[in-house]
Amino acid sequence: MTSPATDHSVPDLITPSWEYAPAPEARELATIRSHYGLFIGGEFVDPAEGGGFATISPSTEEHLAEVALATASDVDRAVAAARKAFGSWSKLAGAERGKYLFRIARLLQERAREFAVLETLDNGKPIRETRDVDVPTAAAHFFYHAGWADKLDWAGLGASPQPLGVAGQVIPWNFPLLMLAWKIAPALATGNTVVLKPAETTPLSALLFAEVCQQADLPAGVVNIVTGAGETGAAITGHPDVDKVAFTGSTAVGKSIARQIAGTDKRLTLELGGKAANIVFDDAPIEQAIEGIVDGIFFNQGHVCCAGSRLLVQENVHDLVVDKLKARLATLRLGDPLDKNTDIGAINSAEQLERITALVAAGETEGERWSPSCELPDAGFWFAPTLFTGVSQSSRIASEEIFGPVLSVLSFRTPDEAVAKANNTPYGLSAGVWTEKGSRILWMADQLKAGVVWANTFNRFDPTSPFGGYKESGFGREGGIQGLAAYLAAPDMEA
């Protein structure tokens, strides 16, 4: 184990612009073990029943590693380790907890290349996204929460707010490292300990993060990482000694967790699915809007809960926007995620590819499908960026969450009609508004039933800003002061 970072100067949150070579040279920046154990009590340990599962690269279907399969008895061990560590961690001065979070943030920066390549191999997303977005933003969350650790009494959260205890956290496969940071950083800053389960298709960055915890000399048991499938997650969320549950994933699973813990005193936050409307008015900066539309739905292959998968365009600029959008999509480069020039990577799994394919097939009976000409690789899981026009508000392609690179285009005449169409969904996670009128932006933000409304941009995040949804998109907030409140026995800060 190396010594913890000791540089306590103001951190540089601007990540260097690295040059990545295509595979296989880029892959050499990440060391992948053949087998990974569970991280419990500060050490990697074997699962009690000795089971495991393979994780593969979505872009090649290549076997990457064998990962331990945690059962209920392993979850018991992890929760016991977290409970044991909670006594001393919760009593540690906030400034001291902040130092550990600061060390973790610096180590994420120091090992950024390794994390970026590993995340791309395990997830399938382009290296430019893991390099420029995922890893630096994960580090930023730890820096931000490190600063809060000794200021909780002045955060408006009540007098001497207290940590809840052991936090059970289950994260998705679309942003493995970033979702880990969203969950672990506020939990540790507020004095809680953690048992976290990464998604079964993308466990490797969480296990590399366990090494960072060791490097930072984080006390044993403060963070525990157990790998597995749905049964493992259910064992965590339903464990009687888990005080707080945080889940990001599908609406169906979120509802199942809510039913599972109903009647208990566990605190719960859920960040679930979405079907966001990206709304373009005729006075919008069209060229800027085109880039925002592309980023809003095709970033990370559309594997984004808040993706702008419904494009609402004012009638008199509808055809212009569609034409420009098709021209822009024709320039996107699909292929090897380790190539720094790639725009569209691989779909995360065969299961997700089947779901996307099925919904798109249904959409072909509901509207006009268009995709740019591109050759899909022979191996791996791939889907070309796809555009649907002429669809109705009630069609499956425009109403169900696809979680893939598929955009449905609808039109509207008036602001009132745009609001009505945008809100006509069971989801309420995010929305975007494109217009030159500031008064219209404020009015739309007030009318839209979404947890986040972006103005003349899309998919912009900051650790200081709370994120979360309404309706079937979940409840609770992550980020900002509201995200801290979710881990404290203090007045609710969600409003």
Side-chain angles (χ1 to χ4, degrees):
M1 180 159 34
T2 62
S3 300
T6 56
D7 180 5
H8 297 290
S9 59
V10 176
D12 179 9
L13 297 183
I14 305 301
T15 303
S17 177
W18 300 307
E19 290 296 319
Y20 279 88
E25 290 82 359
R27 176 172 175 160
E28 295 174 358
L29 293 171
T31 301
I32 302 178
R33 305 178 187 178
S34 59
H35 292 80
Y36 287 86
L38 309 170
F39 186 66
I40 298 175
E43 298 179 345
F44 285 98
V45 299
D46 293 330
E49 298 182 13
F53 62 95
T55 182
I56 66 170
S57 173
S59 62
T60 63
E61 300 179 65
E62 172 191 6
H63 180 279
L64 293 175
E66 190 78 10
V67 180
L69 177 61
T71 59
S73 60
D74 298 308
V75 171
D76 286 341
R77 284 195 291 164
V79 173
R83 177 60 61 191
K84 180 180 179 181
F86 175 70
S88 56
W89 180 253
S90 61
K91 292 180 175 60
L92 193 65
E96 294 303 312
R97 290 199 305 270
K99 289 179 182 179
Y100 283 107
L101 269 70
F102 187 89
R103 292 173 190 169
I104 289 171
R106 291 303 293 250
L107 287 166
L108 286 174
Q109 287 187 323
E110 290 172 14
R111 303 182 68 171
R113 291 190 179 197
E114 186 179 3
F115 270 104
V117 173
L118 187 70
E119 192 89 313
T120 289
L121 287 170
D122 204 25
N123 175 276
K125 65 175 66 181
I127 190 71
R128 286 195 303 171
E129 295 178 9
T130 57
R131 174 195 68 188
D132 297 340
V133 178
D134 294 16
V135 180
T137 309
H141 272 272
F142 279 97
F143 279 125
Y144 172 73
H145 288 94
W148 269 118
D150 63 345
K151 302 175 183 67
L152 298 176
D153 287 339
W154 295 274
L157 301 171
S160 300
Q162 298 299 308
L164 297 173
V166 176
Q169 304 175 330
V170 181
I171 61 174
W173 46 260
N174 56 336
F175 292 95
L177 181 65
L178 187 52
M179 291 297 98
L180 175 150
W182 278 30
K183 298 285 189 292
I184 291 182
L188 299 195
T190 50
N192 298 275
T193 54
V194 167
V195 177
L196 178 138
K197 188 195 87 70
E200 56 268 33
T201 60
T202 53
L204 297 187
S205 57
L207 295 167
L208 183 60
F209 179 81
E211 293 183 15
V212 166
C213 292
Q214 290 179 323
Q215 275 188 276
D217 282 339
L218 190 70
V222 171
V223 169
N224 305 272
I225 296 173
V226 293
T227 47
E231 295 82 359
T232 307
I236 294 172
T237 58
H239 199 285
D241 211 17
V242 165
D243 305 289
K244 155 74 180 179
V245 173
F247 172 77
T248 296
S250 74
T251 296
V253 175
K255 289 181 177 180
S256 175
I257 292 172
R259 289 191 297 267
Q260 180 192 40
I261 70 171
T264 72
D265 60 355
K266 297 181 191 294
R267 288 278 293 274
L268 175 65
T269 52
L270 298 173
E271 196 263 280
L272 308 176
K275 192 69 177 178
N278 209 354
I279 306 166
V280 180
F281 285 90
D282 58 6
D283 66 336
I286 297 298
E287 298 299 333
Q288 181 182 341
I290 293 299
E291 294 305 310
I293 294 164
V294 171
D295 287 342
I297 180 59
F298 300 112
F299 172 73
N300 197 25
Q301 296 72 253
H303 297 336
V304 185
C305 295
C306 56
S309 55
R310 290 186 299 152
L311 177 62
L312 306 183
V313 186
Q314 201 155 23
E315 278 187 352
N316 55 331
V317 292
H318 174 275
D319 292 348
L320 172 65
V321 169
V322 170
D323 288 344
K324 286 183 173 291
L325 191 55
K326 287 180 178 179
R328 180 67 178 91
L329 293 186
T331 69
L332 297 180
R333 295 156 293 192
L334 181 150
D336 180 5
L338 286 174
D339 188 329
K340 63 186 177 67
N341 296 310
T342 293
D343 299 303
I344 305 290
I347 302 302
N348 179 254
S349 67
E351 179 183 9
Q352 185 60 25
L353 179 59
E354 289 173 5
R355 172 172 171 77
I356 295 168
T357 302
L359 283 171
V360 167
E364 290 176 338
T365 67
E366 302 169 331
E368 182 179 346
R369 176 185 177 181
W370 182 89
S371 293
S373 298
C374 60
E375 184 176 348
L376 302 181
D378 294 330
F381 315 124
W382 302 90
F383 200 89
T386 297
L387 183 71
F388 276 93
T389 56
V391 298
S392 69
Q393 180 80 357
S394 60
S395 65
R396 290 185 64 193
I397 203 74
S399 60
E400 294 185 26
E401 184 179 37
I402 299 175
F403 224 61
V406 181
L407 177 65
S408 296
V409 185
L410 301 93
S411 63
F412 67 90
R413 292 183 180 180
T414 67
D416 285 332
E417 184 183 357
V419 168
K421 286 188 173 182
N423 288 340
N424 186 18
T425 173
Y427 300 106
L429 189 55
S430 62
V433 179
W434 299 84
T435 177
E436 291 286 1
K437 296 180 180 178
S439 59
R440 177 181 285 163
I441 289 171
L442 294 175
W443 182 82
M444 292 288 291
D446 183 62
Q447 298 296 313
L448 292 169
K449 305 302 182 185
V452 175
V453 178
W454 286 292
N456 294 325
T457 189
F458 208 91
N459 276 345
R460 298 295 179 185
F461 298 93
D462 188 279
T464 67
S465 179
F467 180 83
Y470 300 101
K471 301 190 285 187
E472 292 197 6
S473 290
F475 53 84
R477 296 293 181 263
E478 294 181 296
I481 296 175
Q482 291 85 349
L484 292 167
Y487 288 92
L488 291 167
D492 195 340
M493 295 293 292
E494 292 179 12

